[in-house]
Amino acid sequence: NAGVTQTPKFQVLKTGQSMTLQCAQDMNHNSMYWYRQDPGMGLRLIYYSASEGTTDKGEVPNGYNVSRLNKREFSLRLESAAPSQTSVYFCASGWGTQNYGYTFGSGTRLTVV
Amino acid sequence: GDSVTQMEGPVTLSEEAFLTINCTYTATGYPSLFWYVQYPGEGLQLLLKATKADDKGSNKGFEATYRKETTSFHLEKGSVQVSDSAVYFCALSYNDMRFGAGTRLTVKP
């Protein structure tokens, strides 16, 4: 049972390049999330998808786009990477109700130079 | 808006010491509260949760009690081990999941 799988694990981009971070879950969860983790700031929500076919902005959506491809997959795209987007990105999934926690992937460490 | 504040780290303890990591929250409704743990190079793992006032969550020797009167959810463990070294995040869930900044714990033999 893989849980939440993220690819790639590491990536270095040049300023202005684009890339897509992939996430897939095999727990039949309804909701999926993208967070970024920066030192001293905890996790901040970028985008989320409450159910297949819907996406909504979180706390820090600027510079990102997302696609909920199907119930299993939720991708995050950086159209024109900036150094401020250097971070560790985590995908998570959950049932979408407040009483249940999330299952997290192992993260993508992105460096923009 | 809803938010979580947890004690700043890092926290360094000797093996078998008592651990407390403070967490307080601000919320307009009645959130559920969580503690997550992150080991080096890994994602966050759910450690324990409490969904209503006076509930106690527990797992792997860790405990936390949902205190509505003090808006707190402090994490405690009676005797820490080297393997407990990690970053601990307090979180609340109401409309979405909000995380504290994390507290790094190092346990020395």
Side-chain angles (χ1 to χ4, degrees), chain B residues 71-86:
Chain B
T71 62
S72 65
F73 192 56
H74 305 320
L75 183 68
E76 297 182 336
K77 187 176 185 183
S79 177
V80 293
Q81 306 299 312
V82 172
S83 57
D84 294 327
S85 298

Side-chain angles (χ1 to χ4, degrees), chain B residues 9-74:
Chain B
V11 175
T12 303
L13 296 173
S14 297
E15 205 164 26
E16 299 184 3
F18 186 85
L19 169 71
T20 300
I21 300 178
N22 290 337
C23 172
T24 58
Y25 68 91
T26 302
T28 53
Y30 300 96
S32 296
L33 301 173
F34 302 83
W35 278 100
Y36 287 83
V37 59
Q38 183 181 32
Y39 299 104
E42 298 183 11
L44 278 70
Q45 301 174 23
L46 180 62
L47 180 59
L48 54 83
K49 70 175 183 180
T51 59
K52 61 183 186 296
D54 300 324
D55 267 2
K56 176 185 284 188
S58 61
N59 186 25
K60 299 181 182 179
F62 291 90
E63 292 183 341
T65 301
Y66 191 140
R67 302 283 189 201
K68 185 167 178 284
E69 63 276 14
T70 55
T71 62
S72 65
F73 192 56
H74 305 320

Side-chain angles (χ1 to χ4, degrees), chain A residues 35 37 42 90 98-99 102 105, chain B residues 30 32 36 38 43 49 89 94:
Chain A
Y35 286 89
Q37 182 180 29
F90 288 100
Q98 73 171 64
N99 289 348
Y102 296 170
Chain B
Y30 300 96
S32 296
Y36 287 83
Q38 183 181 32
K49 70 175 183 180
F89 291 91
Y94 188 59

Side-chain angles (χ1 to χ4, degrees), chain A residues 33 35 37-38 40-45 48 59 88 90 97-107, chain B residues 30-32 34 36 38 41-46 49 51 89 93-102:
Chain A
Y33 310 86
Y35 286 89
Q37 182 180 29
D38 301 293
M41 302 186 73
L43 278 76
R44 293 181 291 169
L45 183 63
Y48 67 99
E59 184 183 354
V88 181
F90 288 100
T97 65
Q98 73 171 64
N99 289 348
Y100 293 92
Y102 296 170
T103 301
F104 281 83
S106 58
Chain B
Y30 300 96
S32 296
F34 302 83
Y36 287 83
Q38 183 181 32
E42 298 183 11
L44 278 70
Q45 301 174 23
L46 180 62
K49 70 175 183 180
T51 59
F89 291 91
S93 179
Y94 188 59
N95 290 315
D96 54 31
M97 188 82 71
R98 302 289 176 97
F99 291 85

